[in-house]
Amino acid sequence: MSQVSEKSMDAIVSLCRRRGFIFQSSEIYGGINGFWDYGPLGAALKRNLKNAWWEDVVERELPGPDGTPVSVVGLESTIIMNPKVWEASGHVGGFNDPMVDCKESKSRYRADHILCLGVKGQAEGGQIYAFLEGDDDGIAKARKKLEKYVKRDLADEELDTCAFMDLSAEERAITVGPDTKEVGTLTEPRMFNLMFETYCGAIRNEDAKAYLRPETAQGIFVNFHNVVDSTRVRVPFGIAQMGKSFRNEVTPRNFTFRSREFEQMELEFFIHPDEAQTWYDFWRNERYRWWQAIGLAGDNLILRDHDTAELAHYAKNGAGVCDVEYKFPFTAPGYGELEGVAHRSDYDLRQHAEHCGKGDKWRYFDQQSNERYFPHVIEPSAGADRGTLALICEAFTPDDSRASKVYMNFEPRVAPIKAGIFPLVKKDGMPEIGEKLYKELRRKHVVEFDVKQSIGKRYARMDEAGTPYCLTIDGDTASDQAVTVRERNTQSQERVALDKVAEFLDEKIGS
Ligand code: GAP
C-alpha cells in the first residue's frame, strides 16, 4: 500500500480508480478526453447526492421566506429538442468560448484560462511567458524561464502577471506558449461554439441538424405553460430537473470538473418581478446551507457574490448572482464553482414567447390579482459531477495509522455503503448469523456482507469506501446475541444487541 500523507489530486484519482469510484471512459481504447464513467461506489455516491437534491428541493417542501412551504415540481425533458429552442435561448449564436491554438505543439487552450508573466514596463526585445491558470507550478516555471531569458534573478515587484486576453497584438507576438520555447506560436483567440451537433433521421443535412442540450434549464422554460396548465402550481413556484448536459469544452480538465458530458441539477423558480430580491436571497442562502449539510462544511466551501463586470446581460439589473464554490486540490488556494444562483429576470420566457410566435399571449395569468406578466426566474443551477468530486475530495482523509492509509469521511446520507457485515471467521455459525442480519438490514439500507480475507483487510476496504459502520459477528455473538460495531472515523468499538442493530443504523444513518 502506498503512503498517502497528503490530500493530493494524484492520490485521490488513484483511489477513485482502484476502488471503483471513477474510471476513464472507454479506458481500454486509450480513453476519450472529457468523458468519465462511475464505478459501483461512484455510481452509488452520485446517486445519493442526486437523491438528496431531489428530496430536499422537490419533495420536502422547505419553509419559504415567510414560512409558507415552497412549491416545487419535477420535470424530465429530452436531451435533444427542436433546434429553435437553442436559437431562442441564444446558445446557437452565443454559447462560445475563446480558443487559442499553439502552432508548434498543436495544443489547444481556452484563451481565458491562459495567464502571462513578464517584466514590468518591459521595453522592446523582451519576452512574455504564458502558463495555465490552476497549474500549480505554472507561474514558478514561467518565472524561471523569464529569469533565464533576462539572465538574472527578478524581484517580485519587477514581475507583471496578466490575462492572455488582455495582451495587445504586439505583446502576443513576443509571448512564449505554455509548452513551447518559441515566441509567437499562439494564434489569435477565436470564438468556438460549445454545442454538440447531431442529425435526426437518415439524411444528414442542415434541416436535420439538432443539438445535445448544453443545459437542462431550457427544457424547463419551454414547458412552463404545460406545467402551469396541467397542475395546480401558482407563482411563486419552481420546476426542477436533473439530467445529462453536453458541452464540447475546448480544454476538458481537472478530472471530472470540466467534462464534455456531465449532469446538472437545476431549479427554475418562477416569481413575481417585485419579489426577486426576497427569493434570490432565500435561494442564495438555502443552496449554500444545503451543500454544507451534505458534507462540505468548513473553510473549503464559500459563497461568492459576482461583481457587476462578471454578470450576464440578463442579470445586469437583477437581484444578484453568486456561486457556491469549493476549494478543490487543483484550484487551491482558489475555488471552483459547484453551483450558480442567478436572477435570470424574465429573459428566457420572453425569448421563447417571441421565437415561438405567441408573444404576450405567453404571459402568465394570475387569477387572484387578475394580472398578466412574464414571471422572473431565480435559478440555482448545480453540477452533480462537480458535487460528487467535491464530496470525494472533502472525504479523502489521509491517516498513516491505519492499514488503508486513508479513509473516506462521507456523511452517512451520501455514503455508498452504510454498513459492512463481517463474520470474524467462516465457521462456528458466524456466517449464518451474519447473513440473517444482512437480509434484515438490506431491506432498508445499502449494506455489504463479506466473509473473505482477514477482518483488518475488510475494515480497510470499508474505510476506503467511506462506510460509516462495520458490524462484526464474533465468537461471543451466539451466546450474548450482540455484535461489535466499529465506527469509521474514530475506529472506536461498541457492543450492540443483535435485535437493536436495525434501530442503531436507522438512528445513525437516517431511516
Ligand atoms: N442553466 C445555467 C447553467 O447551465 P452553468 O454555470 O453554465 O449554468 C451550471 O452550469 C453548473 O453545471 C455549474 O455550476 C457546474 O457545476 C456544472 N457544469 C457546467 N459546465 C460543466 C462541465 N463542463 N463539466 C462539469 N460540470 C459542469
Side-chain angles (χ1 to χ4, degrees):
M1 187 74 59
S2 61
Q3 197 83 351
V4 188
S5 48
E6 58 169 315
K7 205 184 240 226
S8 74
M9 216 44 220
D10 283 349
I12 292 171
V13 172
S14 149
L15 177 117
C16 280
R17 189 180 182 286
R18 185 162 42 82
R19 287 309 324 273
F21 280 96
I22 300 173
F23 307 124
Q24 206 181 7
S25 165
S26 14
E27 194 188 65
I28 57 165
Y29 293 105
I32 170 167
N33 202 4
F35 297 86
W36 299 94
D37 292 340
Y38 288 84
L41 289 180
L45 177 67
K46 188 173 164 190
R47 169 76 46 206
N48 291 344
L49 174 74
K50 291 193 298 177
N51 285 349
W53 182 84
W54 191 262
E55 281 159 23
D56 293 345
V57 172
V58 183
E59 294 172 353
R60 215 183 83 198
E61 295 202 316
L62 279 170
D66 64 358
T68 317
V70 174
S71 155
V72 177
V73 293
L75 182 85
E76 202 173 307
S77 67
T78 57
I79 286 171
I80 294 177
M81 296 193 274
N82 188 312
K84 286 183 186 149
V85 170
W86 306 111
E87 285 160 27
S89 68
H91 284 87
V92 170
F95 194 46
N96 301 319
D97 275 342
M99 178 181 84
V100 157
D101 287 312
C102 176
K103 288 179 265 185
E104 195 185 297
S105 69
K106 308 293 174 222
S107 301
R108 177 162 284 180
Y109 308 103
R110 274 270 297 268
D112 53 338
H113 288 171
I114 304 179
L115 296 174
C116 293
L117 188 77
V119 180
K120 257 183 206 156
Q122 194 169 42
E124 256 175 56
Q127 282 194 1
I128 294 169
Y129 289 86
F131 60 97
L132 293 181
E133 184 189 68
D135 174 358
D136 282 350
D137 321 319
I139 190 156
K141 282 190 200 146
R143 184 177 184 151
K144 232 174 160 178
K145 290 186 212 164
L146 188 59
E147 288 177 338
K148 195 171 167 199
Y149 178 72
V150 296
K151 297 195 178 74
R152 65 184 178 87
D153 288 346
L154 290 162
D156 290 349
E157 310 80 69
E158 291 181 87
L159 297 171
D160 199 8
T161 314
C162 75
F164 180 77
M165 295 288 278
D166 293 339
L167 295 182
S168 64
E170 291 76 29
E171 287 167 327
R172 283 182 193 152
I174 57 161
T175 299
V176 179
D179 57 1
T180 52
K181 295 198 173 96
E182 302 298 315
V183 293
T185 63
L186 296 179
T187 61
E188 283 296 299
R190 282 173 294 136
M191 284 315 208
F192 172 78
N193 191 282
L194 302 188
M195 302 280 280
F196 269 108
E197 291 175 7
T198 186
Y199 295 89
C200 295
I203 301 166
R204 294 187 162 241
N205 60 19
E206 273 301 298
D207 292 341
K209 192 151 100 182
Y211 303 94
L212 304 191
R213 69 180 175 201
E215 61 171 19
T216 64
Q218 298 303 324
I220 296 177
F221 295 127
V222 298
N223 276 299
F224 172 75
H225 280 285
N226 287 339
V227 172
V228 169
D229 295 346
S230 60
T231 67
R232 292 191 187 280
V233 290
R234 291 291 166 255
V235 170
F237 76 96
I239 305 179
Q241 155 152 256
M242 54 191 181
K244 292 271 188 178
S245 291
F246 301 81
R247 296 182 190 176
N248 198 1
E249 297 284 356
V250 177
T251 45
R253 63 189 169 128
N254 290 332
F255 205 18
T256 58
F257 183 82
R258 190 174 305 286
S259 311
R260 288 180 167 142
E261 174 177 337
F262 54 95
E263 231 168 318
Q264 290 185 309
M265 308 183 291
E266 297 200 284
L267 169 68
E268 307 302 323
F269 198 77
F270 299 93
I271 51 167
H272 189 281
D274 293 347
E275 296 189 336
Q277 195 66 55
T278 306
W279 282 107
Y280 170 74
D281 292 342
F282 172 79
W283 283 113
R284 175 185 179 277
N285 298 333
E286 168 53 24
R287 294 309 303 150
Y288 182 53
R289 184 207 65 75
W290 186 82
W291 284 107
Q292 289 178 316
I294 57 154
L296 300 183
D299 297 344
N300 290 337
L301 194 74
I302 57 161
L303 188 56
R304 187 180 69 81
D305 292 305
H306 284 208
D307 52 43
T308 336
E310 280 179 89
L311 297 182
H313 53 288
Y314 54 74
K316 282 267 186 273
N317 301 313
V321 178
C322 65
D323 289 338
V324 181
E325 296 184 343
Y326 180 75
K327 197 197 284 171
F328 292 93
F330 50 79
T331 57
Y335 295 79
E337 177 188 329
L338 287 183
E339 170 160 359
V341 181
H343 173 207
R344 293 183 70 110
S345 71
D346 54 5
Y347 175 81
D348 303 271
L349 288 183
R350 275 187 188 277
Q351 283 294 106
H352 289 300
E354 194 186 314
H355 280 74
C356 76
K358 294 209 189 302
D360 276 353
K361 281 196 227 116
W362 225 53
R363 284 175 303 171
Y364 168 76
F365 178 60
D366 186 329
Q367 284 175 333
Q368 263 171 2
S369 63
N370 225 9
E371 201 185 349
R372 260 184 209 285
Y373 60 93
F374 284 107
H376 278 213
V377 168
I378 306 297
E379 177 194 66
S381 168
D385 303 272
R386 282 192 193 173
T388 305
L389 184 58
L391 291 180
I392 290 174
C393 293
E394 182 74 9
F396 187 93
T397 313
D399 179 357
D400 282 340
S401 74
R402 50 180 97 195
S404 54
K405 305 289 182 208
V406 65
Y407 68 97
M408 298 298 277
N409 181 13
F410 292 125
E411 269 294 303
R413 188 178 184 193
V414 295
I417 304 166
K418 310 303 183 192
I421 299 165
F422 304 146
L424 191 58
V425 287
K426 268 196 252 176
K427 56 180 186 180
D428 302 335
M430 292 182 215
E432 290 75 12
I433 299 175
E435 230 177 313
K436 191 164 166 255
L437 183 61
Y438 169 74
K439 281 184 184 146
E440 181 194 342
L441 298 178
R442 183 84 211 181
R443 278 190 238 133
K444 231 171 177 184
H445 300 288
V446 177
V447 291
E448 195 169 287
F449 178 69
D450 190 2
V451 288
K452 290 191 204 111
Q453 296 186 303
S454 72
I455 194 72
K457 285 196 172 136
R458 280 178 274 171
Y459 284 162
R461 280 182 71 77
M462 287 296 114
D463 281 350
E464 285 185 317
T467 305
Y469 298 99
C470 291
L471 317 172
T472 305
I473 295 99
D474 57 24
D476 294 331
T477 302
S479 52
D480 71 358
Q481 290 295 299
V483 293
T484 299
V485 178
R486 172 189 183 266
E487 198 272 335
R488 177 195 61 208
N489 293 7
T490 57
Q491 302 180 73
S492 62
Q493 305 202 348
E494 63 178 298
R495 225 42 203 167
V496 174
L498 264 176
D499 60 2
K500 292 275 183 283
V501 173
E503 211 175 289
F504 173 92
L505 265 195
D506 287 352
E507 192 196 307
K508 299 285 186 187
I509 310 287
S511 44

